[in-house]
Amino acid sequence: MNQRMYALGSKRSVIREIFEFGKKRAAEVGADKVFDFSLGNPSVKPPQAVEDILKELLSTDDPTALHGYTSAQGDPNVRKAIAAYIAKTQGVNTDPDFIYMTCGAAASLTITLSALLDAGDEVITFAPFFTEYKVFTETAGGKLVALASDPDTFQIDFDLLEKAFTDKTAAVLVNSPNNPSGVVYSEDTIGKLAAVLERKSRELGRTIYLVTDEPYRELVYGGVKVPYLTKYYKNTVVCYSYSKSLSLPGERIGYIFVNPDAENARELYLAVCGAGRALGYVCAPSLFQKMAEKCQGITSDVSVYEKNRDLLAGALKEYGYTCVRPDGAFYLFVRALEPDAGAFCERAKKYGLLLVPGDDFGCKGYVRIAYCVSTEMIERSLPYFRQLAEEYGKN
Ligand code: PLP
């Protein structure tokens, strides 16, 4: 068998490991004594519109067409609706033939990276980053080059970025709002990034594409806006997903949007189609494509995430923990109270607190807390976070 695939399949991710431990522990000591902050599974239900649209589709559509194959890029009417929404929100002149429907952001990324990379090409990203980026990049034949971010803000460290480009650099991959830090890139960061990419593309004599992973675009709080990267850098490919915005991660639906103004946009879009074909996706789930057609601009009620963020971030600060300002997604990336985040997570487990060490996100000394859980569970967990901090001499 293929040894790389065997290695990937035989070792569970740290997050899955902790999640499984949580289930076992809950059976032993009772579910009320376990505070599982490990998984990024949305805790709010999908908007009512999703249920209504699905019911309507199931009752009125011809079932053969509804559940049949769509064209590989996706149903033309669905892509038309998405293109119209993108044109309205991003102000770009697009058409359905720059949209490719996918099975969520993971598929959007694997397809985009396969479309962009030749063997040995490099993809620059910024720590902390979603753990699967390395797997996706390497599967596409590339190498992930992860750079540390500014430790005070988790915005891009431009001194490090300047030095990271080589003649193998094919793309820069960003994720804002970020998993695991919750940080949203400022307009200043994006403007500077665009300028560096323009200049480096010129100097290196190749177009360096910007790939933006946006499953958390709509999950922002306190009026924060997530800038559209196509407005700053034309060579942008957007990897979008409805997993979090509509609370549908198990349904596997998203899309890729190639900016029509990008260099070689048409060829890149065709390479996306080719990569989807080569990876065996055939087409994205038909029923959920048709749901997406009617759900443009609709989002789950994310107010509970904001409430959870305020409650948890406020309490943790009071107990002596520190974290960079989390404006979006549903994660806090908190500094562990000892240098070894793994050891800190083991201590937290004694209190039933299941946290994820930051090492796999490319950032040692931090833990991720996914607060897409019930507010009531957060309230019950707070005394234990306090006791854990006291064990380290805080308060
Ligand atoms: N990218 C990031 C940053 C994520 O956090 C996730 C899932 O948690 C994904 C991609 C994959 O999302 P999807 O479920 O849409 O494939």
Side-chain angles (χ1 to χ4, degrees), residues 307-326:
K307 187 171 163 199
N308 287 355
R309 177 200 68 161
D310 293 347
L311 174 66
L312 192 57
L316 293 188
K317 192 169 170 209
E318 191 192 317
Y319 307 155
Y321 298 90
T322 50
C323 79
V324 169
R325 187 187 159 85

Side-chain angles (χ1 to χ4, degrees), residues 103-106 109 130 133 175 179 213 215-216 241 243-244 249 252 331:
C103 303
L109 288 163
F130 180 51
Y133 287 172
N175 168 224
N179 173 11
D213 177 23
Y216 301 99
S241 162
S243 292
K244 318 284 172 169
R252 315 307 304 140
Y331 309 101

